[in-house]
Amino acid sequence: MRIFLLALLLAAPAIADPISGADDPAFRAPFDRALQTDDPTALLDLHAAAEAGNTAALLALPAVNHWLRATLPFADRKRIARVNGTPLAEAVAAADQVAELWAEGEFTSPPETTLDRSLGLFAAGETQKAIFLFQSWVNQTGGGGPLPDGLFDLPIPDWTLATLFRSRMTGFDPTTMADTKILLARRLKADDPAAYFALNGLAGLDGSDQTVLIDEQELTAMIFAAGLTREAFDRRRAELLPALRLTRAWAEPVDAATALAGWTQIADDPGFEPLHALCQASCTATASACMAAYVAGFGPPQGYLAQSQPFISVIPEAEFLATPRGSRLLLGPATVPVDDPRVTTVRQIDACLADTLTAPRP
């Protein structure tokens, strides 16, 4: 299985070829309706097109089913769960290599196959789904063992990599922990925010009561190995602290000054790509403040889109997020009350996003 998945990864440039049926009105019309409204006939029509052999409709079906299945009676939901007698997930996987890698986002055994699938999805440009599987692999396994070459060249969010570092320092054998300390020093040398985020807790620099896993002597050795002075390390960590607090705003609210200061440090993080599309479409004039405000109010949008976003071969991510359906996945299906504490936080940073959150959804 692992060899097969790696073969798919190597074949990824060919995976992005246009899918058949994308220009067929039998797919285009119901899919466009599903992007705009909660029209249950859109799901029924897409299912009919998929059963008639339209590949684009088949690949769109899992996401549209996720959006609209609640609008249908049970008998229709049961019928849509199969395509010409085959379970939907199996039919989709058989039709497309990227869909087979995604496999509905399920964790697979042995654990390294989930990591391989994530790598394949990164290579195919399915960043949100790849990040979801990578996070699943870290959460389920702790991220132990040898890490793949080129891991830190992939568009993995800093906070996710920080979780990987912390996990590898917890509950593993001394060899893994020693390797992780060496890796942290290398990532400090590369000025990787994830290393600073992780060390803030691992070395007890956050003042918390958590068990310190890297003592002062080990931290000093890491800083020296990275070619830094302690002064330079402390200065850079102080610069990144607002960013760390911003990514954890879901647990501990941040003020406007902290949010904006943190955003300048991590605005280019790939985990925020969905927000770029949302804020460019909804709050063009204040897009940067819009993104910072969203994270301050709701936290990073990690995992929001993996299950609900269609494959990029069906519709590119930025184009999807500019639709009413795409924006609803990030803003929520219903208007947020004006007195919601999250709206109060958002309004301190960007009034446009606050107004968007409290406005009726399309």
Side-chain angles (χ1 to χ4, degrees):
M1 181 68 171
R2 186 177 178 86
I3 293 173
F4 172 68
L5 289 167
L6 290 174
L8 286 180
L9 190 161
L10 294 173
I15 289 174
D17 291 342
I19 53 175
S20 66
D23 296 325
D24 184 345
F27 157 70
R28 192 76 262 163
F31 184 63
D32 287 344
R33 294 203 310 276
L35 291 173
Q36 300 297 321
T37 65
D38 288 340
D39 178 1
T41 66
L43 179 53
L44 295 172
D45 291 349
L46 274 174
H47 182 258
E51 291 205 316
N54 186 299
T55 302
L58 178 58
L59 294 183
L61 202 53
V64 178
N65 190 38
H66 195 270
W67 310 336
L68 299 179
R69 61 177 304 199
T71 66
L72 294 174
F74 176 76
D76 285 333
R77 295 201 302 268
K78 185 176 179 180
R79 181 164 56 86
I80 286 170
R82 289 179 173 270
V83 177
N84 293 325
T86 301
L88 176 58
E90 292 181 20
V92 172
D96 183 79
Q97 291 179 331
V98 172
E100 184 176 13
L101 287 171
W102 172 233
E104 299 273 296
E106 293 293 330
F107 185 80
T108 49
S109 295
E112 59 267 20
T113 61
T114 298
L115 177 60
D116 285 342
R117 288 164 51 215
S118 172
L119 297 176
L121 290 168
F122 276 121
E126 288 284 0
T127 302
Q128 298 306 317
K129 289 176 169 55
I131 290 172
F132 180 92
L133 283 185
F134 184 82
Q135 291 172 328
S136 176
W137 172 73
V138 173
N139 291 339
Q140 294 286 340
T141 70
L147 296 175
D149 293 338
L151 179 68
F152 298 101
D153 296 324
L154 296 173
I156 301 174
D158 291 328
W159 58 87
T160 300
L161 290 174
T163 300
L164 170 66
F165 294 141
R166 288 193 294 267
S167 296
R168 287 172 61 89
M169 287 296 299
T170 308
F172 280 107
D173 59 275
T175 299
T176 298
M177 296 176 70
D179 289 345
T180 303
K181 292 173 184 178
I182 294 171
L183 180 59
L184 281 166
R186 291 174 179 166
R187 298 315 298 167
L188 284 178
K189 188 172 184 178
D191 194 33
D192 186 345
Y196 287 91
F197 289 177
L199 284 169
N200 195 59
L202 289 172
L205 303 176
D206 57 358
S208 70
D209 295 331
Q210 297 180 359
T211 302
V212 174
L213 297 174
I214 294 175
D215 62 31
E216 184 66 24
Q217 184 176 355
E218 290 173 317
L219 178 62
T220 299
M222 284 184 193
I223 294 170
F224 178 79
L228 299 172
T229 64
R230 182 56 187 256
E231 181 183 12
F233 171 84
D234 289 341
R235 182 170 59 249
R236 180 60 173 146
R237 186 178 72 88
E239 291 173 353
L240 288 169
L241 277 178
L244 177 58
R245 289 191 59 197
L246 180 58
T247 63
R248 293 185 52 78
W250 56 271
E252 182 180 351
V254 298
D255 56 34
T258 299
L260 291 170
W263 183 251
T264 62
Q265 296 290 337
I266 54 173
D268 294 332
D269 192 293
F272 297 124
E273 282 299 319
L275 293 187
H276 284 270
L278 171 72
C279 289
Q280 287 293 341
S282 302
C283 298
T284 307
T286 59
S288 182
C290 167
M291 290 182 273
Y294 183 98
V295 180
F298 297 89
Q302 57 189 38
Y304 284 19
L305 300 176
Q307 300 283 1
S308 298
Q309 179 179 329
F311 294 106
I312 61 172
S313 59
V314 174
I315 181 172
E317 180 178 278
E319 183 179 335
F320 170 66
L321 291 171
T323 68
R325 179 68 60 189
S327 65
R328 284 175 66 179
L329 292 179
L330 287 172
L331 297 175
T335 298
V336 182
V338 175
D339 59 353
D340 189 298
R342 296 170 298 178
V343 173
T344 303
T345 297
V346 166
R347 190 171 294 282
Q348 293 174 349
I349 304 166
D350 184 54
C352 175
L353 178 60
D355 291 341
T356 302
L357 287 166
T358 56
R361 299 287 181 263

